[in-house]
Amino acid sequence: MTSFDSSPQLNAWRALLALAVVFVMLATTGWTAVRNNKGDSSPLEAAISAWERGNIDGRALPDPDAPAARLSQFFASLDKKQRNRLAGRYPLAVGNMNGAPSELRYRANRIALGQARKVERERMHDKRLSPLGQQEAERRMKRFGVMMRPERQVLAFDPMGSGRMAEVIGDLDKARRVSVVVPGVDTNVLTFERTFRKYSAPVGMAKALYRAERSVNPRARTAVIAWADYTAPVGIGVDAATAMRAESGAVRLDSMVRGLPGRSPVALYCHSYGSVVCGVAARTLPARVTDIAVAGSPGMRADKASQLGTEARIWAARDSDDWIQDVPYMEVGGLGHGADPVSGGFGARVLSSAGAAGHTGYFEPGTESLRNFAEIGTGSYDGVRCASGDDVCRKGISGEAAA
């Protein structure tokens, strides 16, 4: 395996460079971004507030923040008409409620997307908006229209700001294994799916992984979730250099996993800043999360895999021309994300990513990184191909195969 460890002199130079960059970012954009992070209450907050005051046939509705198991019991106690009435009355609340039945969430989010689409259609003709603002409203209107098609299975949706979204590929209720794709910076409702460079966007990643899983094991019953239900950093700025977005995202990721139906094993595939989210979440994630694979990672907020506080297998991949390798792998005063997950001292199982190119090529069909992700997602560990010379990976796979 190619060593990614740096000399002490190079690390010191990178530390100085990182601090210089941070000071520049703070002086130009950082504090402004923090100050301007305030906004109006979101449609989702309004929907949850309405839910808290509501009832169904005179019966009070449960706390929307109750554990997923409690909410699941509540929905199970209702008949189909009652559940559909709640979805129609409180679509955003039900559509984002971990513990609600998957099919009901899909129905509720289809209604919520329709409502948001009408809002954007009106904004397209709002003279108070600039031409650029009207154009963005048109793009959002079209995206919401695409996402509300009957075949789309939207598990979460929030139109506030740049927006959040999650979509299921496959049958989540019948899946024996579930994979979750956690993307990185610049992810929002408009970048959730792309026609150009589609495998660099969450939906393209998830669809490629789902097809690859069916290819390596046609009998495997899997589902893949394109999970962009957190507020990702915009660009390579202060938010991307700290764990602020990752910490709030980790809470949402943990809640989503705990609300998944059944008890099927879950594997996380965390790209770029998404690996920071997964690293922060690792300690609290339920035991059903058996694997955490990171690709193009700037770090997982830990110096060693053993410090993540999880029993899940930790996998890491990085191709040779990914620019992320030039990011300073350290954490100083909350800036930076810790050690390099593909370095020998970190202790992750390093995967081959042959065929992948650049920072966003890990889910491209035909790459070994995608095939490895699929082998992990179906539990076919003996088919995983390790990076050259990575003994931790090889020994781990031998142990899994023997077990």
Side-chain angles (χ1 to χ4, degrees), residues 48-56 58-62 86 89-90:
I48 291 175
S49 179
W51 170 279
E52 291 173 333
R53 298 191 304 270
N55 68 81
I56 183 73
R59 179 182 174 187
L61 302 180
L86 287 178
R89 194 181 301 169
Y90 313 103

Side-chain angles (χ1 to χ4, degrees), residues 261-280:
R263 299 181 179 180
S264 53
V266 175
L268 305 181
Y269 302 87
C270 319
H271 177 249
S272 194
Y273 189 84
S275 65
V276 185
V277 177
C278 292
V280 174

Side-chain angles (χ1 to χ4, degrees), residues 59-83:
R59 179 182 174 187
L61 302 180
D63 181 351
D65 292 324
R70 166 73 182 87
L71 293 171
S72 179
Q73 291 174 357
F74 166 74
F75 282 104
S77 71
L78 305 177
D79 61 35
K80 184 177 181 179
K81 289 184 178 180
Q82 289 175 317
R83 289 193 290 269

